[in-house]
Amino acid sequence: MMSANTYEYNGFDNVPRDIVCVRVVEGVKSIAASAFTECHNLYSITIPNSVTIIGNFAFGECRSLLTMKIPSSIKEIHEFAFSGCKRLSNIDIPIGVRKINLFTFECCSNLEKIIIPSSVTEICEGAFYECSNLVSISVKVQCGNVDDNIYLF
């Protein structure tokens, strides 16, 4: 722990569900599946460039998460990674990510803007399911495979 309000995640801990701020420790390679699932009060997270993978449901149901700066080191964002992050308003996916997986941003009802880099070659089914406020998707170049059902809303 750094302070009463910031939790240091080392990749191995059982994360307390009442945290509000997280700093991922430099050297951590991945954010584990369900690492922060149902941390309903989490609104801020700092991820270092050592992290290359965001696991399944890693931030699922983090209802207070407002914005997320995904570092350029991220290469994989797994299924449902940000599902249910209802206050998340914009995402800038870094160059290097190749695929937006199944239901990655499902139920991010406040998501208004997403920037998809040229490295993304596939957008899977339900990637933006129930993102009812999504008004801007910026795609740097045409993706090779975009599922017909990326929105499903």
Side-chain angles (χ1 to χ4, degrees), residues 25 32 41 43-44 52 58 63 70 77 90 125 130 142 144 148:
V25 177
N41 299 317
Y43 69 87
S44 173
T52 60
R63 296 177 186 158
I70 301 174
I77 302 173
N90 61 64
E125 180 179 344
E130 290 193 9
Q142 186 172 351
D148 290 339

Side-chain angles (χ1 to χ4, degrees), residues 8-38:
E8 285 191 337
Y9 174 72
N10 63 19
F12 302 104
D13 295 345
N14 289 324
V15 177
R17 297 298 169 215
D18 61 346
I19 58 173
V20 294
C21 295
V22 170
R23 185 182 72 81
V24 177
V25 177
E26 182 66 45
V28 170
K29 301 286 185 205
S30 67
I31 296 176
S34 302
F36 300 100
T37 296
E38 296 184 357

Side-chain angles (χ1 to χ4, degrees), residues 46-121:
T46 303
I47 301 174
N49 281 327
S50 61
V51 175
T52 60
I53 298 170
I54 297 176
N56 296 347
F57 294 99
F59 299 99
E61 298 297 324
C62 289
R63 296 177 186 158
S64 298
L65 193 59
L66 296 172
T67 60
M68 175 67 128
K69 170 135 179 33
I70 301 174
S72 60
S73 59
I74 297 293
K75 303 300 177 211
E76 297 177 31
I77 302 173
H78 290 202
E79 292 87 357
F80 299 92
F82 296 96
S83 175
C85 294
K86 295 184 182 300
R87 295 187 68 197
L88 193 61
S89 60
N90 61 64
I91 284 284
D92 188 352
I93 297 173
I95 292 175
V97 172
R98 291 183 177 85
K99 179 180 180 180
I100 299 176
N101 277 293
L102 293 166
F103 299 96
T104 301
F105 299 100
E106 170 198 41
C107 297
C108 292
S109 55
N110 206 37
L111 187 63
E112 295 177 351
K113 178 181 175 185
I114 189 160
I115 298 172
I116 301 172
S118 59
S119 60
V120 172
T121 59

